[in-house]
Amino acid sequence: MAEYGKGQGKGQGKGQGKGQGKGQGKGQGGGYGGDHAGGSGSGMLSSALITTHDGIVGYWDGLPLRNPPPFGSGDTDISYLGPVVRGDLLDSILAPQFTISGVDGTATLASHGRSTVTLNRPDRAVFRQQLAMVRAYSDLRDDRLPEILEQTEDLLSFFGAVAFLDTDRHGKTLELLAAVVRLAVHVEMPFKHFCRAPRPIDYAPQVQPMIQTPDHSSYPSGHAIEVFTCATVMTRLMTGLGPKSALGGNGSQAIIATMPFKVAHRIATNRSVAGVHFPIDSAAGAVIGCVLGESAYRIATGGDQINWPQLTEVTFNEVPEDEQPFDLTLDWLRDTLADDASVLPTTDDILGTLWNAATEEWAEAPL
């Protein structure tokens, strides 16, 4: 599970981790009030500012000398806020839109009372069959080593390799992507808790993962939820296509629309190569991620009449012994997903305004 904070995460577009992203973004200067104009806050700087005040202000009767303008141009304008606080505001808008309920082995994602994804934990026999896929994927470890290590912390840089992402030209896009990845983290942990399942290493000592196995559930994959959420939102912004259409089209537009999903698929597969996930973990996470990203799009464009995705139920069963165990493919994902929403104008609120600004960053020149 990669983690995206709000310090470098929004300031530079890809600050990772609650330690690194939030540590440098929120935590720097900690008890001293955060960063100042020329550097980080500190006790020494605060003391120096006090003596400077005492040395130059002189007598002041407390009367105002200026008439400050209001912050922002309206309720949808959050540009006056710093990246950390903007992130907090976006989180407070997105996170309450989604709830996850469940009981041992089953979990459902819902929004505004409408269920969108139900996940059923497979039987142990299915995971035992999946172990053969983990064994087969382990042969790729030498080739995938740099990717796997980087992807424990950094996901957005890989999306930035297929479409230019930087804070100057695509700052709104990066801000939105960071927000939906944090939303994915918010969603994934309850799913993991209700569907808790052992990791590959728990089934055989020969797995010997090449990275540390996390302590939370193997099913579903948090990485898969995050990257497929990101792929869905990024593709919507660049092309206007939803995940089902993006994975089933033809021509140059389809190549553009499919590429973020290919990135997501490779990142998810790398978790099986590393030995910490089964392919069905990534498949379940991919469905959740696409539905979550599509739901975020619908919230930003649906106004008071949000057209929620139809319920998708994910279940995996044993396959006959003479068949290959299940593996995640983008064709399977396309066939599993519900229909995409139609392209709609953005709503006149904070999220809709940000979505519209991010979409405009991908406008193309006329031929």
Side-chain angles (χ1 to χ4, degrees), residues 10 43 46 51 63 97 107 110 117 143 148 166-167 228 236 244 248 252 265 278 291 299 310 317 337 342:
K10 292 194 197 65
S46 294
T51 56
L63 293 177
Q97 307 265 3
V117 182
D143 292 338
I148 290 168
D166 78 323
T167 54
F228 278 95
R236 275 288 190 185
K244 197 175 186 74
S252 59
H265 180 268
F278 300 101
V291 172
I299 292 170
Q310 295 297 310
N317 299 308
L337 293 172
S342 57

Side-chain angles (χ1 to χ4, degrees), residues 64 85 90 118 148 156 169 172 189 195 222 246 274:
V85 180
L90 290 172
T118 293
I148 290 168
L156 288 184
R169 282 169 51 183
K172 300 302 183 184
M189 294 315 299
C195 296

Side-chain angles (χ1 to χ4, degrees), residues 139 276 302 311:
D139 292 338
V276 296
L311 175 65

Side-chain angles (χ1 to χ4, degrees), residues 24-46:
Q24 293 186 12
K26 279 187 165 181
Q28 200 173 62
Y32 306 110
D35 290 347
H36 289 259
S40 301
S42 68
M44 181 65 71
L45 178 57
S46 294

